[in-house]
Amino acid sequence: MTTPSPQMLAAAGLQLDLTGPVATITLDRPDVRNAQTPAMWRALADLGDALPGDVRVVVVRGNGAAFSAGLDRRLLDPSSVGGAEESVAGLVMLSDEELSATIDAYQRGFTFLRDPRFVSVAAVHGYAIGAGFQLALACDLRVVSTDAQLSMKEAALGLVPDLTGTKPLVDSVGYARALEICATARMVGADEAVRIGLALAAVPTEQLDSTVADLVQALVAPLPGAVREIKALLQGAQERDLETQRRLEREAQVRRFREMAALAGGR
């Protein structure tokens, strides 16, 4: 699939930079703190489908004062947006099957970040609210600035988190803490995010880019096949029994030995 053009991405509030094995996706609606829209989610899904096969790290960041303040609230009121804009409020007019299929399409803008082909990193500063928090959670790793504020606000709107954030939240902090965070819709600050396992580190805002850059360099240093296999092994480890995990480790290592031998033979 062809990578969406810069014009198409800009219309959805996104930028893409491809530099060697690193893809940087920037949410680029700074005037509304990178509030998200269905058009953005659909563009993210298309972008995920079209990423070149040699991409090894995907960085997700926000332009301006925040990572993402969540859903663009105007889309909850059909009268406040133009007719060409896809309205979240309009979802209630769909049948149950159509509504579920539409949400599934939105979710694909988040699930591609879990692809074992690459490691995804969220560089979070300022607000990461609702959909913004879920986008950060969709990434494998998160580095936050000390001013970061994360919140799952959906319960305050009478909704549930439906952009794939619930599983990685439970995986990161456990059921009880995840329930408390979602049900109270409270803010989680940077220090707490590190303490409870939501983030790798909290650094001053002016050091966020350099810290993420150092992490990216460390991630692209090993041979790509090894990192790909490791991510796939770890992603499902909690759900597997030991015997299954042992088997998958053996199978992955066989593939690694074969690939390494082929590389050595081609010299």
Side-chain angles (χ1 to χ4, degrees):
M1 182 175 177
T2 304
T3 304
S5 70
Q7 294 77 16
M8 293 174 61
L9 292 174
L14 296 169
Q15 292 182 15
L16 172 66
D17 176 74
L18 290 171
T19 303
V22 181
T24 301
I25 299 171
T26 302
L27 309 187
D28 191 26
R29 303 184 74 214
D31 54 322
V32 289
R33 295 188 178 182
N34 298 317
Q36 299 180 30
T37 67
M40 181 182 286
W41 301 331
R42 292 183 185 278
L44 282 168
D46 290 342
L47 219 172
D49 288 339
L51 283 175
D54 60 352
V55 168
R56 296 176 56 189
V57 177
V58 175
V59 176
V60 182
R61 59 182 296 276
N63 190 11
F67 179 75
S68 174
L71 175 69
D72 190 330
R73 294 290 191 91
R74 296 176 304 160
L75 300 179
L76 295 173
D77 178 6
S79 66
S80 67
V81 297
E85 183 74 63
E86 188 174 357
S87 168
V88 174
L91 295 176
V92 297
M93 306 301 293
L94 302 176
S95 69
D96 288 357
E97 293 77 13
E98 291 169 329
L99 177 53
S100 179
T102 300
I103 296 172
D104 177 72
Y106 297 163
Q107 290 173 330
R108 293 179 189 278
F110 295 70
T111 54
F112 83 90
L113 292 162
R114 299 179 175 89
D115 193 316
R117 292 180 303 149
F118 49 75
V119 177
S120 52
V121 181
V124 180
H125 72 290
Y127 289 118
I129 308 298
F133 190 14
Q134 293 188 77
L135 184 60
L137 285 167
C139 294
D140 300 307
L141 308 173
R142 287 162 290 282
V143 179
V144 301
S145 65
T146 50
D147 71 341
Q149 293 286 324
L150 299 84
S151 176
M152 205 72 89
K153 280 290 186 185
E154 284 77 5
L157 300 173
L159 303 173
V160 302
D162 66 342
L163 295 171
T164 77
T166 55
K167 178 174 172 52
L169 183 61
V170 172
D171 288 345
S172 296
V173 305
Y175 164 75
R177 180 62 71 198
L179 176 60
E180 183 264 336
I181 288 171
C182 290
T184 64
R186 72 173 176 87
M187 292 289 188
V188 177
D191 289 343
E192 182 183 0
V194 174
R195 188 173 70 252
I196 65 178
L198 279 175
L200 293 177
V203 299
T205 305
E206 63 273 15
Q207 296 177 21
L208 181 61
D209 288 345
S210 62
T211 301
V212 170
D214 289 345
L215 175 60
V216 167
Q217 286 304 115
L219 290 169
V220 298
L223 290 175
V227 177
R228 181 181 63 243
E229 293 279 14
I230 288 169
K231 178 173 174 178
L233 279 171
L234 295 178
Q235 278 184 319
Q238 286 186 318
E239 288 76 36
R240 300 185 192 117
D241 59 40
L242 178 59
E243 289 305 307
T244 301
Q245 190 73 4
R246 286 200 315 135
R247 174 179 58 80
L248 292 173
E249 288 176 358
R250 295 194 300 270
E251 293 172 356
Q253 196 71 309
V254 168
R255 289 191 293 272
R256 295 308 307 138
F257 277 124
R258 299 303 180 222
E259 184 173 331
M260 294 294 292
L263 288 171
R267 289 176 182 171

